[in-house]
């Protein structure tokens, strides 16, 4: 049986129009259709806008980001647990509108304020500064709970992403990608990955097949399932350290291991693991994740996290648990070293030897020029400034600038 096939449609332009369509790299979005798709009794108002790379636009308070995808009419089973039954046959072809993103922007409780600039120096620091974005702004209905608003926005984004993906079902793809399945290759070392998912309750949770992974044990999954959108984010802390749903479906660590599969290593598989809150639970889950890697025959493991200093502990405990089995590891960390870069970089480092990859300094300051238009709100509260103003902010506020799955362009080096 053939494996996953990605039918890639490169989006080079996005616009609002009378009807939603995709043709020759142009994605046309019907605002009325899009707003109807997202509308929900928990939402008092929904506004859909589009913005493209180079626009003088700042998106403030970004929440989740989703890539337009579909496996057939109505989404064809994409985003199981949300848009489809988890056991629905999903087929092998996934149509991907590469270069486009659907994202929500606005206030939710426990949100840590972030931004995306579509031009200027910050645009290169977020993956969504270079995508054509369909932005959903919203208001809370008077009698709705914030939990209901969160759920409504999440489901609305996924429906809209599937709807836009449907627009390309009949289009000829620009390319077809057939990523390799994990498995042994001769005597090559078998390298797997552990992806830690934040599980800290409402507004700081990540879902697998529509359910939180809290109180679950680590689980081995087929990497192709990521392409189906089984991992959906509801985590709004630490903007630079978030892994939006878009990033899970395009997991950079998995992509790198697939690229090297059959070259200098064999991609061995993928473990999803919760990040509990209590120390005892962190130790238990870390031990079970190491057991799973050992039983699955991993010779080495790359480990990623989600969140700030608390999540450093989840990563370090897994490094130590794997070291006890003699399994070498590499961990991806963002440093929290203060504006000058001289502070202690990791809140909770491992006690054992490991390769630690720096994703950059959370506290480094960047100056952002004023922009003409803002989406998602009128104020940057953390900077005490209008949302369109010239500001100096830490890298920490730029969405995915220090992405724990390894998308970013930043690292730390010793001064020359």
């Amino acid at each position: 049986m053939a494996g996953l096939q990605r039918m890639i449609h490169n989006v080079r332009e996005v616009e609002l129009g009378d009807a939603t369509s995709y043709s020759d790299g142009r994605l046309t979005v019907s605002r009325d259709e899009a707003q109807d798709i997202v509308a929900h009794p928990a939402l008092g108002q929904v506004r859909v806008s589009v913005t493209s790379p180079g626009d003088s636009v700042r998106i403030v308070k970004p929440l989740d980001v989703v890539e337009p995808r579909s496996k057939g009419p109505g989404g064809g089973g994409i985003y199981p647990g949300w848009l489809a039954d988890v056991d629905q046959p999903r087929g092998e072809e996934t149509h991907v509108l590469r270069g486009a993103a659907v994202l929500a922007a606005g206030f939710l409780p426990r949100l840590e304020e972030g931004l995306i600039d579509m031009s200027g120096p910050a645009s290169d620091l977020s993956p969504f500064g270079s995508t054509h974005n369909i932005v959903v702004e919203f208001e809370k209905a008077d009698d709705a709970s914030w939990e209901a608003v969160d759920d409504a926005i999440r489901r609305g984004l996924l429906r809209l992403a599937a709807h836009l993906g449907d627009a390309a079902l009949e289009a000829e793809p620009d390319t077809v990608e057939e990523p390799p399945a994990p498995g042994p290759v001769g005597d090559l070392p078998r390298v797997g990955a552990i992806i830690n998912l934040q599980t800290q309750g409402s507004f700081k949770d990540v879902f697998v097949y529509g359910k939180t992974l809290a109180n679950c044990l680590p689980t081995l999954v087929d990497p192709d399932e990521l392409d189906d959108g089984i991992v959906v984010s509801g985590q709004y802390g630490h903007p630079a350290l978030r892994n939006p749903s878009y990033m899970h479906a395009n997991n950079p660590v998995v992509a790198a291991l697939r690229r090297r599969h059959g070259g200098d290593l064999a991609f061995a598989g993928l473990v999803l693991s919760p990040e509990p809150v209590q120390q005892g639970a962190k130790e238990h889950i870390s031990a079970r994740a190491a057991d799973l890697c050992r039983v699955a025959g991993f010779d080495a493991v790359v480990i990623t996290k989600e969140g700030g200093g608390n999540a450093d502990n989840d990563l370090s405990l897994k490094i130590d648990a794997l070291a006890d089995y003699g399994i070498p590891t590499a961990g991806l960390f963002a440093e929290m070293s203060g504006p000058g870069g001289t502070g202690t970089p990791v809140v909770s480092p491992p006690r054992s030897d490991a390769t630690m990859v720096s994703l950059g300094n959370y506290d480094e300051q960047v100056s952002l020029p004023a922009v003409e238009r803002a989406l998602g709100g009128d104020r940057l509260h953390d900077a005490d400034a209008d949302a369109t103003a010239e500001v100096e902010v830490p890298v920490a506020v730029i969405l995915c600038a220090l992405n724990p799955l390894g998308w970013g362009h930043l690292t730390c080096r010793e001064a020359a």
Side-chain angles (χ1 to χ4, degrees):
M1 186 177 76
L4 168 69
Q5 288 187 316
R6 295 193 198 108
M7 319 303 283
I8 303 298
H9 307 274
N10 294 319
V11 176
R12 294 181 286 276
E13 183 179 356
V14 65
E15 63 180 2
L16 294 172
D18 294 333
T20 297
S21 64
Y22 173 81
S23 179
D24 295 329
R26 173 181 293 181
L27 176 62
T28 303
V29 181
S30 164
R31 173 178 275 160
D32 289 342
E33 282 180 17
Q35 291 176 168
D36 288 346
I37 286 169
V38 178
H40 187 277
L43 305 174
Q45 187 178 12
V46 173
R47 299 179 298 278
V48 171
S49 305
V50 298
T51 183
S52 292
D55 289 348
S56 183
V57 169
R58 176 169 296 149
I59 303 168
V60 300
K61 302 178 179 62
L63 298 168
D64 193 24
V65 187
V66 185
E67 187 170 53
R69 291 183 171 217
S70 178
K71 298 177 78 70
I78 202 81
Y79 304 117
W82 297 101
L83 302 188
D85 187 89
V86 297
D87 296 324
Q88 176 179 328
R90 298 194 290 272
E92 294 155 354
E93 290 188 359
T94 301
H95 291 260
V96 179
L97 293 184
R98 182 163 291 170
V102 180
L103 65 94
F107 172 81
L108 282 177
R110 303 184 75 187
L111 168 76
E112 291 182 48
E113 192 176 64
L115 63 83
I116 303 164
D117 271 7
M118 300 305 297
S119 57
S123 62
D124 290 335
L125 296 179
S126 171
F128 310 111
S130 57
T131 52
H132 299 276
N133 297 323
I134 298 90
V135 182
V136 176
E137 300 172 278
F138 60 94
E139 305 292 340
K140 173 182 173 294
D142 290 340
D143 57 350
S145 69
W146 282 112
E147 287 78 5
V149 173
D150 180 30
D151 186 76
I153 282 294
R154 180 176 308 109
R155 293 177 186 275
L157 284 189
L158 297 175
R159 287 195 301 269
L160 181 54
H163 176 70
L164 299 179
D166 280 358
L169 289 177
E170 302 302 323
E172 191 70 20
D174 293 292
T175 56
V176 177
E177 297 177 349
E178 297 181 344
V185 181
D187 295 330
L188 291 175
R190 302 190 66 210
V191 181
I194 297 175
I195 308 300
N196 285 320
L197 305 179
Q198 190 157 107
T199 48
Q200 294 185 7
S202 296
F203 314 110
K204 289 200 173 186
D205 211 345
V206 181
F207 306 94
V208 179
Y209 283 110
K211 298 183 182 301
T212 177
L213 210 58
N215 302 315
C216 294
L217 294 175
T219 184
L220 192 66
V221 301
D222 184 337
D224 288 358
E225 294 175 271
L226 295 182
D227 274 80
D228 291 347
I230 68 163
V231 181
V232 170
S233 177
Q235 201 288 103
Y236 310 125
H238 297 290
L241 298 175
R242 277 190 224 155
N243 299 322
S245 303
Y246 182 107
M247 205 55 68
H248 285 294
N250 293 280
N251 187 307
V253 168
V254 170
L257 292 175
R258 278 170 160 162
R259 279 196 300 272
R260 293 172 62 173
H261 180 75
D264 59 345
L265 58 81
F267 180 24
L270 176 65
V271 173
L272 302 179
S273 176
E275 288 179 343
V277 177
Q278 291 80 17
Q279 177 66 13
K282 288 178 184 289
E283 294 172 359
H284 174 66
I285 290 298
S286 297
R288 300 288 74 76
D291 283 343
L292 195 54
C293 293
R294 176 182 58 82
V295 171
F298 292 5
D299 296 316
V301 181
V302 180
I303 312 176
T304 70
K305 70 166 194 173
E306 170 137 26
N310 187 307
D312 283 356
N313 199 19
D314 298 89
L315 207 164
S316 295
L317 287 168
K318 290 182 176 67
I319 288 174
D320 292 337
L322 286 159
D324 290 342
Y325 287 130
I327 300 175
T329 54
L332 278 62
F333 291 85
E335 303 187 42
M336 294 178 162
S337 301
T342 57
T344 302
V346 178
V347 172
S348 178
R351 58 174 168 75
S352 52
D353 293 338
T355 298
M356 297 176 67
V357 180
S358 170
L359 303 171
N361 182 9
Y362 185 89
D363 301 305
E364 183 176 351
Q365 298 289 306
V366 290
S367 297
L368 309 182
V371 296
E372 296 176 359
R373 183 164 66 112
L375 299 172
D378 298 327
R379 297 283 296 173
L380 266 176
H381 294 283
D382 289 350
D384 191 22
D386 290 341
T388 56
E390 179 181 355
V391 290
E392 182 167 317
V393 295
V395 168
V397 308
I398 300 171
L399 188 65
C400 291
L402 309 168
N403 178 247
L405 295 178
W407 175 88
H409 304 311
L410 299 174
T411 190
C412 288
R413 299 186 180 92
E414 292 186 14

